Amino acid sequence: MTTTSQPQPGASVVSAGELISTNPATGEEVARLPVSSAADVKAAVARARAASDWWAQLSWRERRRRLLRWRSLLVQRMQSLAELMHREGGKPVDEALLEIVSAVDHAAWAAKQARKVLGRRRVPGSLMQLEYAGYLEYQPYGVIGVIGPWNFPIFTPFGSIAYALAAGNAVVFKPSEYTPAIGQFYVDAFNEVVPEHPVLQIVHGGGEVGAALCRSGVDKLAFTGSGPTGAKVMAACAESLTPVLIECGGKDAMIVADDADVAKAAETAAWGANFNAGQACVGIERAYVHAKVYDDFVAKLVAETERIDTDTQVGPITMPGQRDIIARHIDSALADGGRALLGGPDSVRGAYVRPTILVDVPHDSAAVREETFGPTIVVTKVASNDEAVTLANDSAYGLGSSVFSKGQGMAIAARLRTGMTAVNSAFAFAVLPELPFGGVGQSGFGRIHGHDGLKEFARAKSIAKRRMPSTPALLTFRRTPAGMKLAMAAVKFLHGRSR
Ligand code: NAD
């Protein structure tokens, strides 16, 4: 974040206590929002604490009703929200609309499923302790801090915000400094449907405001962003033993097996590598392609990618500094012996980067090892599907992955060391609300979405209730020798026999 008053396109600027967001394509100002001080963040968390008591004691039904109303309001206003996303983040309007659709679908799922997943239920007891009945429920933490990135400014934060709210928590949200107005838009809409108490609040600013949120006394912090920032968030939260959910970057691979539908694989790779200008944690940045179909795949990928209109379908690079990283990866891939079949060093022009296809790039090149976060893909020929799996798994990251195969898709998917895999598709795991979303290794830990995503924002509360007198009574100093004998006979009968 800069503090000058002449930003380059996309920069976010602080001036006189205001955060100014700008259009990444034109540099035009989009919004001004007040920057929160550390004291403001603490005050927001204190207000959230009081609001969380009220929200948590509402019935499941009432919370569901409010969340579904919020979802409907956003759908009614989705065209304006998509246009704002286009202006502030650069995302093409169609992609923004699809992002909103997925976010509201998740919000509705979380609202409808929360009671079933988290509500109190009777659990089976034990033959050794027949006198006790077990009950399990998942109670809200209280106040959840959410720190979001700019690349999916509604879909990604919703994975935490909507699920945390559905679980009965209040939320204090710090959106990315590059997309503050988008966050403000949906927080304001929530406050129309929950006007009584500040159950969902927003605080604005850069990293220092995120750091203040980590130290503000929230009961859990859900972070989505880059690995280096994730490490800082963990360190800050460790000071107060605040638990964290960490969703970081990726270097997703697509495997194109010998029996793949090559045309579909190429069409999907062209989209998976270039949608949102490649600024997607689950964008396809690598492809490992069986030698039998390699030439066909590469020819089709080039043809598919040539059809893409950079200005209207790819969009600008949102963060000015990212263009240098993309350029460095392309340059080093070529310096390391790679070739550009499309695009190349000249692709990085102004706010836009033209799609680039790289081949023959060594496995240790930055373009293969590091997250590029741009519209580039490195395609590598492999001798077997096994080699494809080995190379795909040889990454510090492990977020999403994609497999194209007519007969072996599920088997290959199971062998990939990633949190999620799409078979004969890309990204699809993110839009099925039942499926947990998250990674392994440098991609982070914990899960948003699905049952696991709801449980991420609640703690298990176990209750064992006596339902009859104990015979024999064991959990007392008044136990008798006869009772002990009976218990030992029972344990030998139940657990002591070899089978
Ligand atoms: P970033 O790490 O620069 O910033 C993320 C957020 O952290 C921003 O709101 C920022 O203000 C805040 N922040 C910065 N310094 C902080 C600090 N010291 N303490 C607390 N908060 C701080 O990431 P970004 O550029 O906004 O987002 C891009 C990254 O996010 C990419 O690596 C991408 O892969 C990743 N991402 C991951 C997922 C996922 O679900 N795994 C989804 C979207 C994006």
Side-chain angles (χ1 to χ4, degrees):
M1 197 159 56
T2 55
T3 47
T4 63
S5 53
Q6 283 300 314
Q8 53 177 319
S12 89
V13 178
V14 167
S15 171
E18 285 186 314
L19 175 64
I20 305 169
S21 69
T22 60
N23 183 320
T26 62
E28 200 184 321
E29 178 177 325
V30 175
R32 277 175 190 250
L33 292 147
V35 173
S36 301
S37 66
D40 295 336
V41 174
K42 263 202 172 3
V45 172
R47 287 192 297 274
R49 188 150 312 284
S52 73
D53 290 341
W54 174 79
W55 181 245
Q57 59 77 41
L58 290 182
S59 63
W60 292 107
R61 196 187 163 87
E62 182 58 13
R63 279 198 296 272
R64 169 187 157 131
R65 191 180 73 76
R66 304 282 186 123
L67 287 166
L68 292 180
R69 173 96 186 88
W70 181 38
R71 173 268 329 243
S72 306
L73 266 190
L74 292 175
V75 172
Q76 286 156 20
R77 298 172 188 171
M78 65 197 285
Q79 193 61 37
S80 325
L81 178 54
E83 281 161 18
L84 175 62
M85 288 164 74
H86 175 60
R87 286 202 310 280
E88 192 173 60
K91 185 166 293 201
V93 171
D94 272 4
E95 299 282 351
L97 285 168
L98 290 174
E99 183 181 334
I100 299 166
V101 168
S102 314
V104 296
D105 203 30
H106 274 288
W109 186 89
K112 289 177 187 166
Q113 299 300 319
R115 179 184 199 158
K116 194 172 127 211
V117 177
L118 305 175
R120 182 179 296 174
R121 84 212 52 178
R122 179 88 187 264
V123 297
S126 156
L127 281 177
M128 286 297 298
Q129 313 287 350
L130 271 177
E131 65 271 36
Y132 297 108
Y135 295 88
L136 172 62
E137 66 187 42
Y138 292 85
Q139 298 181 343
Y141 276 93
V143 181
I144 305 290
V146 175
I147 298 177
W150 48 267
N151 63 331
F152 286 94
I154 172 165
F155 174 78
T156 295
F158 261 47
S160 296
I161 294 174
Y163 285 71
L165 291 169
N169 301 281
V171 172
V172 178
F173 171 44
K174 195 208 85 69
S176 166
E177 55 273 38
Y178 293 95
T179 51
I182 298 165
Q184 189 71 50
F185 186 105
Y186 54 77
V187 170
D188 287 348
F190 181 86
N191 287 314
E192 285 180 43
V193 303
V194 185
E196 297 93 333
H197 294 276
V199 173
L200 173 59
Q201 297 172 77
I202 191 163
V203 289
H204 291 292
E208 63 297 338
V209 180
L213 187 56
C214 295
R215 297 191 169 96
S216 63
V218 291
D219 299 297
K220 182 159 187 173
L221 194 120
F223 168 80
T224 309
S226 64
T229 311
K232 288 185 197 161
V233 164
M234 282 180 75
C237 288
E239 293 167 11
S240 53
L241 288 186
T242 302
V244 289
L245 162 69
I246 301 283
E247 299 280 358
C248 295
K251 188 76 188 172
D252 285 12
M254 173 186 280
I255 289 182
V256 185
D258 50 348
D259 64 343
D261 178 336
V262 175
K264 277 284 167 222
E267 179 190 334
T268 304
W271 179 74
N274 297 304
F275 80 101
N276 202 26
Q279 305 166 114
C281 52
V282 288
I284 304 291
E285 299 205 355
R286 302 177 288 154
Y288 296 104
V289 185
H290 196 288
K292 201 171 127 195
V293 294
Y294 178 84
D295 290 342
D296 191 18
F297 174 81
V298 164
K300 288 191 163 75
L301 178 62
V302 170
E304 282 289 338
T305 310
E306 274 173 341
R307 292 160 47 99
I308 298 174
D309 182 321
T310 304
D311 290 357
T312 61
Q313 292 180 295
V314 173
I317 299 301
T318 308
M319 245 183 358
Q322 197 65 30
R323 294 193 283 266
D324 298 337
I325 297 175
I326 301 168
R328 176 169 65 77
H329 286 191
I330 296 174
D331 290 346
S332 59
L334 301 182
D336 292 342
R339 292 182 295 130
L341 295 187
L342 197 70
D346 297 342
S347 289
V348 186
R349 293 171 307 184
Y352 292 82
V353 175
R354 236 181 94 219
T356 291
I357 300 174
L358 299 163
V359 295
D360 301 336
V361 182
H363 193 58
D364 59 357
S365 186
V368 178
R369 310 306 295 183
E370 299 170 19
E371 185 179 48
T372 305
F373 231 53
T376 66
I377 185 168
V378 178
V379 185
T380 303
K381 189 196 289 190
V382 290
S384 65
N385 297 336
D386 284 346
E387 186 188 357
V389 171
T390 304
L391 290 175
N393 283 344
D394 183 18
S395 171
Y397 294 104
L399 194 54
S401 48
S402 158
V403 180
F404 273 78
S405 167
K406 287 182 186 142
Q408 310 154 76
M410 291 299 287
I412 294 174
R415 294 171 60 199
L416 288 169
R417 184 191 152 275
T418 58
M420 304 149 305
T421 303
V423 176
N424 295 326
S425 169
F427 194 74
F429 42 74
V431 295
L432 300 187
E434 286 268 353
L435 288 182
F437 184 106
V440 303
Q442 296 295 309
S443 295
F445 51 84
R447 293 292 181 266
I448 54 171
H449 303 167
H451 291 212
D452 301 66
L454 280 167
K455 287 184 184 167
E456 197 71 55
F457 297 105
R459 45 185 153 220
K461 171 75 186 186
S462 304
I463 303 175
K465 183 181 171 203
R466 179 187 294 286
R467 58 194 184 104
M468 60 169 95
S470 300
T471 45
L474 296 178
L475 304 183
T476 168
F477 287 127
R478 293 184 179 228
R479 67 179 82 90
T480 62
M484 278 301 286
K485 205 168 156 190
L486 190 60
M488 291 313 112
V491 79
K492 281 178 188 160
F493 176 74
L494 288 172
H495 300 300
R497 291 171 298 161
S498 326
R499 287 165 210 269

